[in-house]
Amino acid sequence: MDSLVAQLQMQYRNYVLSLYQQGFLDDQFTELKSLQDDGSPDFVSEVLSLFFDDCVKLVGNMARALDQTGTVDFSQVGASVHQLKGSSSSVGAKRVKGLCINFKELCEAKNYEGCVRCLQQVDIEYKTLKAKLQDMFNLEKQIVQAGGIVPQVDIK
Amino acid sequence: MVCEMETDQTEEMDIEVLSSMWPEDVGGTQADNNQFNVEKPAGDSDTLKEVDIAEKRTMADLKRLPELMNTTDQGSSQLTNLVKQWEYMQDHAVKLLREELKILTKQREEAEAKELKIIEEHNFETQEPENVPVLDDTSHLLRRFKHTKRDALVGSKRVEIDEEFDTVAYWKQKALSLEKMLEASTERERRLIEKLNESLKTMESHSAPVEELTQNLKRAEGFLHFILQNAPIVMGHQDKDLRYLFIYNKFPTLREQDILGKTDVEIFHGGGVKESEDFKREVLEKGKASKREITFETDLFGSKTFLIYVEPVYNKAREKIGINYMGMEVTDQVRKREKMAKLREDNAVRKAMESELNKTIHITEETMRAKQMLATMSHEIRSPLSGVVGMAEILSTTRLDKEQRQLLNVMISSGDLVLQLINDILDLSKVESGVMRLEATKFRPREVVKHVLQTAAASLKKDLTLEGNITDEVPIEVVGDVLRIRQILTNLISNAIKFTHEGKVGIKLKVISQPSFASEEQNGLTETETSVWIRCDVYDTGIGIPENALPCLFKKYMQASADHARKYGGTGLGLAICKQLVELMGGQLTVTSQVNAGSTFTFILPYKVATSDDHSDDQDFSDMVDHHQAEPDDTTEGYFQFKPLLGTIYSNGGPVIGNSNFLPHKVMLTSPLKIINGFVADTSNNTGQSETAQVENGCGYMDETCSGQRPESVNQYENGTCPSKETESCSSSSQASSEGGALEMESDLTVSSKQPKLLLVEDNKINIMVAKSMMKQLGYTFDIANNGVEAITAIKDTSYDLVLMDVCMPVLDGLKATRLIRSYEESGNWDAAIEAGVDIKTSENDVHSTNRLPIIAMTANTLAESSEECYANGMDSFISKPVTLQKLKECLRQYLH
């Protein structure tokens, strides 16, 4: 039993490290995790589910705005991008944030094709992140079920 | 150039319209010219012997010309033409004469035939002697007629006689008629002879071609002269040694004998002569006519440019015998052309410069963008990093085992170092990209020095004495960018402490006269403003700097030696930033040092002297000093000393609240205590309270292994509800050792015991959630508004202690909302907000506070521009996003006393 926990913990540690190393997450996520304590044990997953709901909504908004025949209201797109940038920056979704920064510039430049391309990337990116974090949470759950504690991952 | 324009000496020539291409003063008067140049045609030799040229234009060498004509192809063909023309005309005349002669001859034959008949008749019938007058020269004709008389007689008329044949009357009559006929015949003959003579005479006059040729030649020559005389052209012929044989339009002051038989080089001196000579020789050798422009620079006629055409001349045997040469003065044209070329060149240069400039601008822009990018990137790195460090600090306040604590300490110190490095890079790139703006605020130099030393003393881990010395003439208040000056001082002091192991480190301030490197324009100081130059020495008794290391001391990423870098660490950016900041403010940073004896860094800066009547209104730390009720003599105190002795932090008698010298990462001032008060007071009925307070103050005793406290909320608090706190006690060792100090604080803490009311204005749910969690960790709760309008509504109804305001929001953004709030504070009514379209229902129970509400912006961009915008709109400070625990903590510490 103990060896299973240890194995899971090791797996979890490696997995989380890989998320940082591959640039999916940044230190803000660490900060987020540190805010989770016994008083709010599900803080991170709450924030993240809020974040992903937000992603769905905002990406939908952007897609609709960009799908307009005729003139595209770039300011409308930009507003959504700004929202997403703020959210992703707050949760430490590094890749999404990076895309949003580019996206915003493209919006300001009214580069339609760039925006569409960026939107697709954002869509892929947040879904990927969601899947990865899902895996992470599953691992956490497994560890807890196995009677272990979720280890702190030292990202250094 | 041998030539001359007015070859003619006649008076008409003197008034010719064409201006001479020669300078007016050349050659003196025309009279002189005449004297020099008059040259009668040398001679009538050869073919032109008979040609009488009445108005002789000056031909330079008439003797040579005929020779030339004779020997060259062109010459002979010309003569041939002339001769052909003459022959044709002569032929024509001969033909006419012949025809006339034929007619006359015929007439005469008729007449003679008649005469013969008459004579024969006489011979036959009258036996008259031959008395018919006969021209001598016609005798042969007569003889001829005699031969053919029979034929002739056949058709001859007979004289009709009316008289009877062979009568006397008949003969008489016949004789008479015959006589008459003879008379008529004789008369006719005479007339014929006359006519003949006349014809002969006419023929004689027609047959002389010379007269006509002369006329033609005269005409041709007149035409040529007419053209050439007025043409700005010099013509000449030179033999194969390039000696002049012929010249037309030579230079006026030269005489024929000065030119003929000589070469250019013999005639002239100066620039271009050799070139033209070479050019002619080249043409002669190549046998190909060619043109060239040559500029002459001679004593004779100054600087002139000639277009020269040279063609080789062959004799009939196709041998080269010389050259014909023609020159035209084109000085003006050349000058014009050169001017044009120069203009074009200037134009091109200007265009090139323009494009160069554009390129430079482009590069500069690129550089700026790169630096901006660096700044942005650094910022992006900094925010999460400060979060990490902040988290770690919070983490260090939780219960940890020994190993975890050690790891955490390493983490915090490494994080601090990286943070410092990033801050340095950010500062540097801000200065370099010109984004850094200096702010002029009023501050008290004494307080700055004191606080810098205090801060340094707080983290001092060595046995050093820190001292500050300010001379009396330093004004109490001056205007400058206090944050930057403090940054410089802090940097220099921490540097000094780093490299000093014993002895003292200090700051000395004194007023000096304006240094030589400063000019009036610097710093925009105008005459009307009183400015003062203050010299600041930061000295130490440390290891010193070897002389050879001084030059690279202020360079980026350089340290005195690699050894030092290993031993003392650091980024090597500190001094570079100090220097740049000092220079940005119009001052100068220098250093003197002696190895093993110490170093002194000196910076000289200009300050405006603050007028005493208005009060410092800025939020910076001088206010903080005021808030914590500085000792009355704080403003004029000229000397501070901080000794590493327990119990005596401030030599000027500051409260002894524990030894802060060993407190890591904390500045031991009274203000941080007050923050703690914020929640500690709330829990005053909690038994854990004293421990909590004591932890903050007392953990210094424990050196690096200080344990902390973590306020923990049990519940999920809703906005505005008052949290109940459960404070965990710190580790037992800390508790035990700090018991006394904590008790001392207790009374102080209970005085201010009110949970501050905070408002978070933010539209992003996730940001709200994160902020809420952080606030919870810090022990605060807050209300939430989702946009500027909601914020105004909330502020109208509730009295807040602090507002955290997002800048970019829908409906009403943070900047506008802040302006409206400030307008309310000034006017006491919400008119401006209502005007702006905010739906406000004023009610009786409205809170009306005229106190300035601290509003902190939360912005995604920290570059000076946007922070200035925040300040300009009435905000008090700003936190860059993403918000981290650390930033939030610092901000709250500053504004919630």
Side-chain angles (χ1 to χ4, degrees):
Chain A
M1 198 62 178
D2 275 354
S3 68
L4 174 66
V5 171
Q7 197 191 337
L8 283 171
Q9 281 176 336
M10 174 66 78
Q11 201 182 339
Y12 174 78
R13 203 175 281 121
N14 288 340
Y15 191 74
V16 173
L17 273 177
S18 77
L19 289 181
Y20 282 99
Q21 277 159 6
Q22 291 166 25
F24 284 103
L25 299 173
D26 62 22
D27 293 343
Q28 189 69 19
F29 186 76
T30 319
E31 173 140 9
L32 207 63
K33 287 213 117 182
S34 75
L35 290 171
Q36 179 169 293
D37 52 27
D38 297 342
S40 50
D42 294 325
F43 174 70
V44 174
S45 59
E46 277 169 24
V47 171
L48 284 175
S49 61
L50 198 62
F51 171 67
F52 287 120
D53 290 350
D54 228 26
C55 282
V56 175
K57 194 184 80 193
L58 291 170
V59 168
N61 285 350
M62 293 174 209
R64 262 192 304 283
L66 283 171
D67 206 23
Q68 295 298 316
T69 42
T71 48
V72 172
D73 185 354
F74 281 102
S75 65
Q76 202 184 329
V77 182
S80 295
V81 175
H82 181 79
Q83 280 279 332
L84 188 58
K85 183 177 148 237
S87 305
S88 54
S89 145
S90 275
V91 298
K94 192 178 178 186
R95 286 200 190 179
V96 177
K97 184 176 87 169
L99 282 171
C100 285
I101 290 169
N102 282 342
F103 201 162
K104 200 141 188 245
E105 278 170 16
L106 291 167
C107 270
E108 274 154 22
K110 299 196 191 299
N111 179 342
Y112 180 77
E113 278 164 25
C115 281
V116 170
R117 204 173 52 240
C118 225
L119 177 63
Q120 288 165 349
Q121 286 171 333
V122 168
D123 192 49
I124 293 167
E125 207 53 69
Y126 92 79
K127 282 174 180 161
T128 313
L129 181 66
K130 191 175 179 181
K132 299 247 175 202
L133 291 175
Q134 205 72 57
D135 290 348
M136 190 188 80
F137 285 125
N138 285 340
L139 269 174
E140 281 183 12
K141 220 176 276 171
Q142 284 175 30
I143 293 170
V144 173
Q145 277 170 0
I149 46 163
V150 178
Q152 293 286 321
V153 179
D154 180 3
I155 59 156
K156 272 182 218 158
Chain B
M1 243 20 339
V2 186
C3 326
E4 65 8 290
M5 220 100 218
E6 3 230 296
T7 37
D8 347 330
Q9 287 55 44
T10 58
E11 286 306 308
E12 311 97 88
M13 262 12 225
D14 295 346
I15 54 159
E16 73 181 55
V17 229
L18 179 78
S19 67
S20 166
M21 63 177 159
W22 307 113
E24 253 112 76
D25 54 349
V26 171
T29 66
Q30 191 63 42
D32 289 341
N33 284 352
N34 287 346
Q35 280 176 4
F36 278 119
N37 297 336
V38 171
E39 171 105 7
K40 292 295 167 204
D44 333 328
S45 62
D46 299 327
T47 46
L48 294 187
K49 185 152 54 177
E50 307 94 326
V51 176
D52 176 23
I53 295 161
E55 328 92 279
K56 243 166 215 152
R57 300 305 199 222
T58 295
M59 283 301 217
D61 184 357
L62 286 179
K63 222 187 281 171
R64 294 293 185 178
L65 188 56
E67 265 172 38
L68 207 59
M69 298 299 257
N70 288 341
T71 51
T72 66
D73 287 347
Q74 293 103 311
S76 39
S77 74
Q78 201 175 333
L79 277 183
T80 314
N81 274 341
L82 218 54
V83 168
K84 263 190 197 146
Q85 195 186 1
W86 179 78
E87 276 172 356
Y88 169 76
M89 288 173 72
Q90 206 184 32
D91 284 350
H92 188 63
V94 166
K95 211 169 100 194
L96 286 175
L97 284 173
R98 277 206 185 114
E99 268 167 26
E100 203 154 335
L101 195 62
K102 224 155 103 187
I103 293 163
L104 283 173
T105 313
K106 216 173 173 181
Q107 284 175 349
R108 198 166 67 178
E109 274 170 6
E110 271 173 25
E112 277 171 356
K114 217 170 256 174
E115 194 180 61
L116 262 185
K117 199 179 88 191
I118 293 163
I119 291 166
E120 269 183 14
E121 273 174 21
H122 274 278
N123 288 345
F124 268 89
E125 300 164 19
T126 65
Q127 308 290 333
E128 262 181 42
E130 287 186 27
N131 56 350
V132 182
V134 175
L135 286 168
D136 291 342
D137 55 350
T138 59
S139 55
H140 68 281
L141 286 175
L142 188 65
R143 274 193 294 277
R144 195 153 54 110
F145 277 116
K146 276 181 180 159
H147 277 293
T148 57
K149 65 185 171 185
R150 243 159 252 140
D151 305 335
L153 279 174
V154 173
S156 66
K157 279 190 260 161
R158 288 188 152 250
V159 180
E160 299 297 322
I161 306 292
D162 310 340
E163 295 301 322
E164 207 176 317
F165 185 72
D166 225 12
T167 64
V168 175
Y170 166 81
W171 290 115
K172 263 188 185 171
Q173 206 175 351
K174 189 162 184 178
L176 270 175
S177 67
L178 281 173
E179 210 162 294
K180 260 181 213 157
M181 280 172 71
L182 186 65
E183 248 169 55
S185 173
T186 312
E187 174 61 24
R188 204 156 54 231
E189 194 166 326
R190 190 186 55 76
R191 270 204 316 264
L192 278 173
I193 288 162
E194 240 169 54
K195 218 170 180 180
L196 196 64
N197 284 339
E198 208 175 285
S199 285
L200 280 172
K201 227 181 262 168
T202 323
M203 212 155 87
E204 218 162 75
S205 71
H206 273 253
S207 63
V210 176
E211 195 70 13
E212 207 172 326
L213 270 176
T214 309
Q215 287 291 337
N216 283 347
L217 281 173
K218 232 194 267 174
R219 227 178 295 136
E221 202 202 31
F223 175 72
L224 281 176
H225 273 287
F226 175 72
I227 297 290
L228 291 178
Q229 208 65 67
N230 292 330
I233 289 175
V234 167
M235 288 184 292
H237 173 79
Q238 284 162 290
D239 65 16
K240 52 183 191 251
D241 296 327
L242 296 180
R243 293 184 182 282
Y244 280 95
L245 295 181
F246 166 76
I247 181 94
Y248 189 90
N249 270 359
K250 65 181 167 27
F251 188 72
T253 54
L254 292 171
R255 289 165 303 167
E256 303 257 301
Q257 58 263 41
D258 293 334
I259 297 170
L260 297 178
K262 291 182 179 166
T263 63
D264 280 336
V265 190
E266 287 165 351
I267 301 163
F268 300 105
H269 301 283
V273 177
K274 187 80 181 57
E275 188 187 350
S276 81
E277 179 102 351
D278 292 346
F279 173 55
K280 288 172 183 171
R281 191 153 284 135
E282 190 186 314
V283 170
L284 196 60
E285 275 159 20
K286 286 193 180 157
K288 217 169 163 190
S290 117
K291 275 183 259 186
R292 183 176 293 184
E293 214 171 77
I294 296 175
T295 301
F296 292 89
E297 184 70 62
T298 68
D299 299 339
L300 195 60
F301 50 80
S303 178
K304 296 250 180 212
T305 304
F306 283 84
L307 180 64
I308 289 170
Y309 169 73
V310 179
E311 63 174 6
V313 179
Y314 300 93
N315 64 8
K316 285 168 183 155
R318 303 300 299 163
E319 288 163 337
K320 289 172 204 156
I321 57 160
I323 52 149
N324 278 343
Y325 136 87
M326 189 176 287
M328 182 186 260
E329 196 229 340
V330 289
T331 312
D332 288 346
Q333 286 75 8
V334 168
R335 211 170 283 151
K336 262 181 226 157
R337 196 181 58 205
E338 273 164 8
K339 219 186 246 169
M340 285 298 289
K342 201 160 170 273
L343 278 176
R344 239 172 260 139
E345 198 176 296
D346 285 355
N347 234 5
V349 167
R350 209 167 301 129
K351 258 188 203 143
M353 272 166 62
E354 215 166 85
S355 68
E356 192 66 24
L357 212 65
N358 279 336
K359 223 182 274 167
T360 316
I361 288 170
H362 187 69
I363 290 168
T364 314
E365 276 171 355
E366 284 293 304
T367 317
M368 296 288 278
R369 215 168 296 147
K371 284 183 178 156
Q372 197 94 352
M373 169 100 165
L374 183 66
T376 315
M377 267 168 50
S378 300
H379 167 65
E380 298 290 340
I381 299 164
R382 184 175 65 168
S383 314
L385 184 67
S386 57
V388 171
V389 175
M391 288 305 107
E393 278 169 12
I394 290 169
L395 198 60
S396 74
T397 63
T398 60
R399 204 181 308 170
L400 297 169
D401 66 30
K402 204 177 167 195
E403 199 193 341
Q404 285 173 325
R405 188 159 303 284
Q406 273 173 358
L407 293 173
L408 198 60
N409 284 336
V410 174
M411 181 176 164
I412 290 171
S413 61
S414 316
D416 273 348
L417 189 67
V418 180
L419 206 55
Q420 185 55 42
L421 178 61
I422 290 168
N423 281 337
D424 284 355
I425 293 172
L426 207 51
D427 276 351
L428 205 59
S429 57
K430 270 184 183 173
V431 174
E432 283 179 353
S433 62
V435 174
M436 179 163 289
R437 308 271 160 77
L438 293 172
E439 276 151 40
T441 49
K442 199 179 291 180
F443 69 98
R444 296 170 178 174
R446 284 172 185 79
E447 285 173 9
V448 172
V449 170
K450 184 176 161 188
H451 282 92
V452 167
L453 292 174
Q454 255 176 0
T455 311
S459 57
L460 196 61
K461 292 170 196 156
K462 293 175 183 172
D463 187 16
L464 291 177
T465 301
L466 306 187
E467 56 184 24
N469 202 337
I470 296 127
T471 57
D472 292 341
E473 71 268 20
V474 173
I476 290 170
E477 283 191 329
V478 294
V479 176
D481 191 328
V482 65
L483 289 177
R484 299 299 162 204
I485 290 161
R486 221 180 112 131
Q487 189 182 352
I488 296 164
L489 275 175
T490 308
N491 226 322
L492 293 177
I493 279 288
S494 63
N495 234 17
I497 290 170
K498 190 154 89 177
F499 295 108
T500 305
H501 304 299
E502 55 180 356
K504 55 186 182 178
V505 169
I507 301 174
K508 212 186 289 170
L509 281 191
K510 60 180 173 189
V511 174
I512 56 159
S513 58
Q514 179 170 325
S516 54
F517 67 82
S519 63
E520 281 301 318
E521 306 89 68
Q522 254 174 323
N523 269 324
L525 289 181
T526 59
E527 295 285 345
T528 53
E529 282 167 312
T530 36
S531 66
V532 62
W533 287 83
I534 296 176
R535 171 192 166 112
C536 178
D537 294 312
V538 178
Y539 56 92
D540 63 57
T541 56
I543 58 168
I545 304 155
E547 203 167 321
N548 57 11
L550 287 177
C552 60
L553 205 57
F554 297 111
K555 287 193 183 135
K556 277 178 261 178
Y557 308 107
M558 295 282 258
Q559 286 185 328
S561 78
D563 254 7
H564 288 123
R566 261 200 308 282
K567 198 163 158 192
Y568 299 101
T571 62
L573 279 174
L575 284 177
I577 292 169
C578 286
K579 190 173 168 65
Q580 294 220 358
L581 284 174
V582 169
E583 280 164 9
L584 190 69
M585 291 189 273
Q588 205 176 44
L589 175 63
T590 52
V591 61
T592 55
S593 183
Q594 214 175 340
V595 174
N596 293 327
S599 313
T600 303
F601 286 83
T602 303
F603 66 91
I604 302 167
L605 280 180
Y607 305 87
K608 278 179 261 183
V609 179
T611 43
S612 51
D613 50 313
D614 57 347
H615 282 300
S616 172
D617 57 356
D618 227 81
Q619 80 287 356
D620 64 58
F621 75 103
S622 63
D623 271 344
M624 275 161 55
V625 175
D626 288 341
H627 282 297
H628 92 264
Q629 278 148 12
E631 292 74 9
D633 60 348
D634 217 22
T635 49
T636 51
E637 179 82 49
Y639 183 74
F640 324 101
Q641 195 178 46
F642 300 86
K643 282 195 172 136
L645 294 173
L646 293 177
T648 52
I649 309 171
Y650 307 120
S651 64
N652 59 1
V656 181
I657 47 169
N659 187 348
S660 63
N661 286 359
F662 299 102
L663 183 67
H665 309 298
K666 296 277 189 292
V667 177
M668 184 40 77
L669 291 174
T670 42
S671 38
L673 281 176
K674 286 186 177 169
I675 292 197
I676 299 155
N677 294 351
F679 65 87
V680 167
D682 243 7
T683 58
S684 53
N685 56 349
N686 186 316
T687 47
Q689 177 243 332
S690 60
E691 285 94 333
T692 314
Q694 153 255 96
V695 166
E696 286 294 322
N697 295 297
C699 55
Y701 289 121
M702 300 160 53
D703 207 346
E704 300 271 74
T705 55
C706 164
S707 74
Q709 51 78 38
R710 182 172 65 161
E712 224 172 72
S713 311
V714 188
N715 310 319
Q716 181 94 21
Y717 307 115
E718 286 310 316
N719 308 339
T721 60
C722 196
S724 72
K725 294 219 158 45
E726 176 186 298
T727 330
E728 289 184 354
S729 66
C730 56
S731 73
S732 56
S733 65
S734 138
Q735 203 173 359
S737 61
S738 56
E739 202 85 46
L743 289 172
E744 231 180 335
M745 297 300 299
E746 199 172 350
S747 58
D748 206 28
L749 292 169
T750 43
V751 177
S752 57
S753 55
K754 192 172 141 259
Q755 166 75 13
K757 286 210 60 89
L758 309 179
L759 177 66
L760 175 72
V761 189
E762 166 70 68
D763 62 319
N764 189 312
K765 276 176 292 177
I766 289 149
N767 290 351
I768 293 171
M769 201 160 168
V770 173
K772 201 194 278 176
S773 169
M774 286 176 181
M775 287 289 202
K776 190 177 75 186
Q777 202 115 82
L778 291 171
Y780 297 102
T781 56
F782 53 82
D783 292 346
I784 294 163
N786 284 314
N787 58 48
V789 173
E790 285 185 30
I792 287 172
T793 314
I795 287 163
K796 181 176 67 76
D797 296 331
T798 317
S799 177
Y800 286 101
D801 295 309
L802 181 75
V803 175
L804 291 167
M805 178 95 73
D806 188 19
V807 172
C808 193
M809 281 182 300
V811 187
L812 183 66
D813 72 36
L815 299 174
K816 278 187 207 135
T818 305
R819 271 209 308 279
L820 295 175
I821 293 164
R822 294 292 180 229
S823 143
Y824 161 71
E825 282 170 359
E826 275 163 31
S827 63
N829 61 60
W830 286 103
D831 293 352
I834 292 160
E835 219 169 277
V838 180
D839 186 21
I840 287 182
K841 297 177 194 76
T842 43
S843 57
E844 293 302 315
N845 57 355
D846 273 359
V847 189
H848 182 211
S849 164
T850 47
N851 290 339
R852 188 179 164 96
L853 173 62
I855 299 177
I856 314 297
M858 294 188 294
T859 157
N861 185 1
T862 56
L863 290 178
E865 201 181 310
S866 118
S867 72
E868 264 171 20
E869 214 180 330
C870 292
Y871 291 134
N873 281 282
M875 286 165 163
D876 296 291
S877 183
F878 67 92
I879 302 178
S880 61
K881 280 181 161 182
V883 175
T884 61
L885 198 60
Q886 173 77 4
K887 284 187 255 179
L888 203 56
K889 199 162 111 188
E890 271 169 19
C891 173
L892 296 179
R893 180 195 291 169
Q894 197 178 346
Y895 286 94
L896 296 175
H897 302 298

